Amino acid sequence: LAQKVEHADFIVCISDFARSQLMFVSDYRHWQRLVVSRLGIDVSHFQPRPCTRTRADQPFHILCVGRLSPAKGQQLLIEAVARLRAMGRAVTLDIVGAGVNEAVLKALVQEHGLAGVVTLSGAVNQDRIREHYARADCFAMASFAEGVPVVLMEAMSMQIPCVTSHITGIPELITHGENGLLAPPSNVAGLVEQLDRLITDPALARRLGEAGRVQVQSHYDLQGNALKLAAIFAERVTDSPRLSPGR
């Protein structure tokens, strides 16, 4: 990575956190080559879903979308659901995705007696994923490693309140208590606490969901961020002595 930074005219990073990691491995003289250009989604494609949950005693449906891999920490979500059920919460979990951890997750569901409560829906095409979002009262991720997850942007754009790990670039997307909720990574108790806040306070869930869409519209809109990326290329290519301005 240090060699790539040294020999590049410029490098586009998807978050301040990503830029910091390149700063960590590169010479200070090259840091001005690192520029942030955020990812984005088509907010018109992910419109707000109907929010019908208005009482704390209504069933609460959690959705997680992502590869079934150790880095995603889905085991923690299953454990969190088991604890919430023991507290008397009428909560269910839908995990959408495929991967190497499928057998591990299925075994954990059986171990906790959560058959019919936790569903492993497998891989879902992009044209059907909104059906899963539309049924969700909350979107949750318990990842140990991420960039800035696009699935969080999609859920937020649909005004689904999100609970996720306070790691890497995620706090640049979600401000705790303003447009989502963050829990310490690896901490099941913290995850349960934040999920239970949404379960017991439907007004908070609605407010965070609405603020989440505003955040994505303002800072993670695909069209706007594509224009910003184009402007970065235009500026950096023009300034580079090695690249033709006509390229």
Side-chain angles (χ1 to χ4, degrees):
L1 283 175
Q3 290 176 328
K4 290 180 184 294
V5 174
E6 180 181 357
H7 293 288
D9 287 279
F10 64 99
I11 295 177
V12 179
C13 309
I14 66 168
S15 66
D16 293 319
F17 176 81
R19 179 170 58 182
S20 77
Q21 299 309 288
L22 290 181
M23 287 179 170
F24 176 67
V25 300
S26 62
D27 192 290
Y28 168 75
R29 295 171 298 170
H30 306 320
W31 287 1
Q32 75 277 6
R33 300 176 184 175
L34 308 174
V35 58
V36 173
S37 180
R38 303 192 185 280
L39 301 177
I41 64 164
D42 183 351
V43 295
S44 67
H45 186 68
F46 293 93
Q47 293 286 343
R49 92 289 188 233
C51 183
T52 59
R53 191 175 185 273
T54 58
R55 302 193 321 272
D57 60 347
Q58 289 177 283
F60 188 85
H61 185 57
I62 302 169
L63 173 66
C64 176
V65 178
R67 290 177 294 107
L68 307 186
S69 71
K72 298 294 184 180
Q74 285 112 340
Q75 296 98 314
L76 301 184
L77 282 178
I78 294 173
E79 291 183 17
V81 167
R83 294 192 190 186
L84 287 165
R85 298 282 295 190
M87 293 163 56
R89 308 303 189 211
V91 59
T92 60
L93 171 64
D94 181 16
I95 300 176
V96 176
V100 296
N101 248 24
E102 182 176 354
V104 171
L105 298 178
K106 285 183 176 179
L108 192 59
V109 169
Q110 294 301 318
E111 178 183 333
H112 284 291
L114 294 175
V117 173
V118 176
T119 303
L120 299 178
S121 295
V124 172
N125 291 335
Q126 187 66 24
D127 59 351
R128 289 190 52 234
I129 192 63
R130 283 181 297 174
E131 298 173 14
H132 290 265
Y133 284 128
R135 294 192 293 268
D137 296 302
C138 164
F139 186 93
M141 298 180 70
S143 300
F144 307 131
E146 287 288 349
V148 183
V150 170
V151 288
L152 280 178
M153 301 176 200
E154 293 173 350
M156 292 168 72
S157 184
M158 294 185 68
Q159 293 189 357
I160 304 169
C162 295
V163 175
T164 187
S165 307
H166 193 291
I167 58 169
T168 59
I170 289 178
E172 297 174 43
L173 173 63
I174 293 179
T175 300
H176 179 67
E178 292 186 13
N179 50 39
L181 297 174
L182 300 175
S186 81
N187 190 314
V188 178
L191 195 59
V192 169
E193 178 184 356
Q194 301 309 322
L195 288 168
D196 201 43
R197 290 180 65 186
L198 298 181
I199 294 170
T200 57
D201 192 345
L204 172 65
R206 181 183 293 270
R207 185 166 68 251
L208 293 177
E210 292 172 352
R213 179 167 173 83
V214 171
Q215 167 74 341
V216 173
Q217 286 177 311
S218 300
H219 301 288
Y220 293 89
D221 172 66
L222 179 61
Q223 183 174 358
N225 286 359
L227 292 174
K228 292 176 183 177
L229 179 61
I232 289 169
F233 271 82
E235 176 186 356
R236 295 287 174 142
V237 169
T238 299
D239 291 344
S240 171
R242 295 193 300 167
L243 297 177
S244 166
R247 269 182 206 176

